[in-house]
Amino acid sequence: MYYEDLVPGTGRREPRAWLRSSAPVISLNGSWRFKLSAGPSEAPVDVMSPTAADNDWDELVVPGHWVLQGYDRPRYTNTAFPFPIDPPRTPAANPTGDHRRWFDLPADWPAGRAVLRFEGVDSCFKVWLNGAELGTSKGSRLPSEFEAGPHLRPGRNLLTVRVHQWSSGSYLEDQDMWWLPGIFRDVTLRSHPADGIDDVFVHAGFDHVTGAGELRVDCVTTDPAYGARVLVPELGLDLAPGESVAIPAVEPWSAEVPRLYEATVVAPGETVELRIGFRTIKLEDGLLTVNGRPILFRGVNRHEHDEYRGRAVSTETMRQDLVLMKQHNINAVRTAHYPPHPAFLDLCDELGLWVIDECDLETHGFIYTDWQGNPADDPAWAPMMLDRMQRMVERDKNHPSIVVWSLGNESHRGRNFGDLAAWTRDRDPDRPLFYERDRSYEFSDFYSLMYTPLEELERIGSRTEEVPAETAEDPELEARRRALPFVLCEYAHAMGNGPGGLADYQRVFEKYPRLQGGFVWEWIDHGLLLPGATDHVYGGDFGEKIHGSNFCVDGLLFPDRTPSPGLTEYKKVIEPVRVTGPDPLRIENRQDFATLDHLEFTWIEEVEGEEVAAGTLTVPTIQPGASAEVPLPGGLVGGGGERWLTVRAILAKDEPWAAAGHEVAWGQFELPRSASVVPDASQRTVAAGHDRIRLGPGVFDLRSGLLVELGGLSVEGPRLDLWRAPTDNDNGQGGNNDVVSEWRAAGLDRLEHRVDAVEVGERELVVRSRVAPDGLGLGVRTTYRWTAAGETLRLSVDVEPDGGWDGPGGTIKPVCGSWPRLGVRMALPALIDRVRWFGGGPGEAYADSRQASRVGRYSATVDELQTPYVVPQENGARIDVRWAELADAEGNGVRVDGAPVFQLTARRWTAEDLERARHRGDLVARDRVYLNLDLAQNGLGSASCGPRALPQYVLAPGPQSFAVTFGPLSAG
Ligand code: IPT
């Protein structure tokens, strides 16, 4: 059967560019008739016949996936094929969707040829027009065109499309994403004039030494008897196709300055509109250069995803993605792991992004056969693979934004890649090739890895990495590999809370020229909202036997495209302008092509978080790669208390992706401060009934040693807390590299508190306890020391690990090398739900993800402090908090001061509730607000697919002391 053979398609036209043409067109998007059958043999036999009735069929929206419109259900696997591996055979249960669309040809529709074009159908289809078969096609994320002219009729026409979810092509489409069948991209019918244009190939280079442009536009006219002209009015050009011309001065295209020139190719019967960007891509001296300069990718891997529509993304959504990327300083996209909707690439040209366009090819699931039968190494599959590369390159070749072609993802090694590389080099010698998984890099112009630990990255940067086994026997190939530039095509797995360590990676990228940057995995969480649901689903939510759980919920955006804290962090880490200081203030232009003249630099001075002065800096023109010293602003006021100077680089005027005033970068510096205030005289302890004692504003229970009342509020006293609801990164990858199992082995998830002594002194209360899990010898001796001064109550906590922390063999291997957190937890009445604080904010921050946190005064409700991770886990900590005030609507509440700072977390549920929840809807507010006041938390890392937190961010068990002071709310 056609869906199981190794023929990429039948009856299709030769692949060609996606063109904006003047030829008449009708969109066949919209409502179609639809019928789903369990398999091909159950499907009706006469679907194509115009006389067959379809009035009992349902309606389906095209473009769309039937599994997101109430038929069958979506499936998510990471690497596993959700059917037996028996290439090229498909399972008997091969959901088959018949689609019928009646349409009317307009009266003035030109007679003659017409092209029926499908931009994307997943995964294999057959098409009939008015009962006549036009052909078949595979390759889900690629266009297919059929000659429709001979079968079109005036007036009413019937288009029938049979789509099979599984096909031989599915073996090449094992990307880590939902399996989503259907006609998910546009369908059009376009008239194809005999004196029109078939294809266009723009070659537009830029000579950075002379500033000259070079242009040649190749054109294939439908009939060689007719010629065409290439017009670029802005440059006064009127060229013959294939004619090469040098233009003395053009403005080049770059992701920073995406200058495009409008052009047209005019044949007698058809005009095609083009946008030309002049740029020259080269590999020189082991580096990728554009227009003579090495570039640094500050990239993301982008899947097409919409929480309701899956991969049927709208143009507005594509634009929204790119606007968000530009607003967050991202300059590059890897179209992981297939060519995107063609309109997306137009937007990349327009808004300015470097693009690695990736072939729709991944055979990852063959890891489960130990790569036996991997199509990539079986010549019988070469036509199926080459077809995909050709259709991508032909479709996308005219986009200046595309600087690299990727042969595919995660398909191991295989000789067929040689065919893809050879064909592409011949067809488009002007762009380098990329393929990561073949460690010989024979068919790649880049050395590349994924999720590489930092030490390894340092070795690669300095070209001292070990020789891979694949090139060990071949010195020539090894020498070639070693001379290649390096791109980290995936890193910083943004699953759940994280990634940690972005700043550390960026530092290393910037240190070594060979490292040309990286692409964070990944842009958006693939959570889906099914009709009527309020929680996003992921793998396993349908009771599937094989699934990838929430491994596809690993983006910098939440499924609804709200930026996550990880994106805010990335924006700060990759800012194209760096401000350092304060004395001297230095502004560094980290861009490769543009000056900073599009920015305005403002400053603000704050004392204790309150603005006291503000102004604008005068900054000279700073060339790319250069920096300038700027004098400290004149109008600084000074004053008692903590003083901060914040410098912001904002857009001076509107850009297509953000309005004037949008903040691009910032720097913050502490200025010299005056000495702090001496505390009041201390208070005495006073008996308060039978088993209670009062100390300043606090009342304690003498048996438990816990604080039960604070400034008139009923509280459940602070106790040591070492636990957090594990993050995806704490959980590691499928039980691999997971710090959580160490924590559990040490019993940190089940600590019990034993009070050993409650010592009432004249001016202090000391509570001694041992905090330890059942069944183990280890524990933590904890001493709480309470003193009061005026209306304030101070708690200082000493912790001392006790017995058994060293694993077998004593000091050789600790049972547990880190603690999730170190601090105290207490409960307040639920009405206390408003928080003001002075410290780091506005968003959450952790030891290795804290660049975006800046010192200031902030306020939020307890609900607003939560970060809505699709799978609930530790979140919402605010760092460097000097003081926080928690209050109810009436102004009752408590103030907490750090010594000097603490980390603040407040939520309506406990860490244990958070840990149990699998979806956000599982979180139910309790009648308390739980407050964590921490000295520290363990770093985040990105071990869900990558390294753990770096050693400097590990919260190692050890003796520690910290303190906080509770007091009344400040007036006003
Ligand atoms: C790598 C894949 O290329 C990507 O598609 C995604 O699955 C990512 O991992 C994890 O989310 S595969 C690599 C970890 C072997």
Side-chain angles (χ1 to χ4, degrees), residues 450-508:
M450 297 178 176
Y451 308 101
T452 310
L454 218 52
E455 325 85 71
E456 174 65 5
L457 199 60
E458 294 255 6
R459 282 194 289 276
I460 295 166
S462 52
R463 294 187 202 265
T464 55
E465 75 275 8
E466 276 177 29
V467 179
E470 288 80 352
T471 51
E473 309 289 303
D474 188 336
E476 216 174 295
L477 200 53
E478 169 56 12
R480 178 184 178 279
R481 187 200 64 78
R482 200 163 283 268
L484 297 175
F486 183 86
V487 166
L488 194 55
C489 68
E490 294 180 23
Y491 80 111
H493 202 244
M495 186 176 182
N497 190 344
L502 284 169
D504 304 277
Y505 275 91
Q506 196 61 27
R507 193 174 30 75
V508 176

Side-chain angles (χ1 to χ4, degrees), residues 244 403 501 873 927 968:
S244 242
V403 290
Q873 53 195 280
D927 63 348

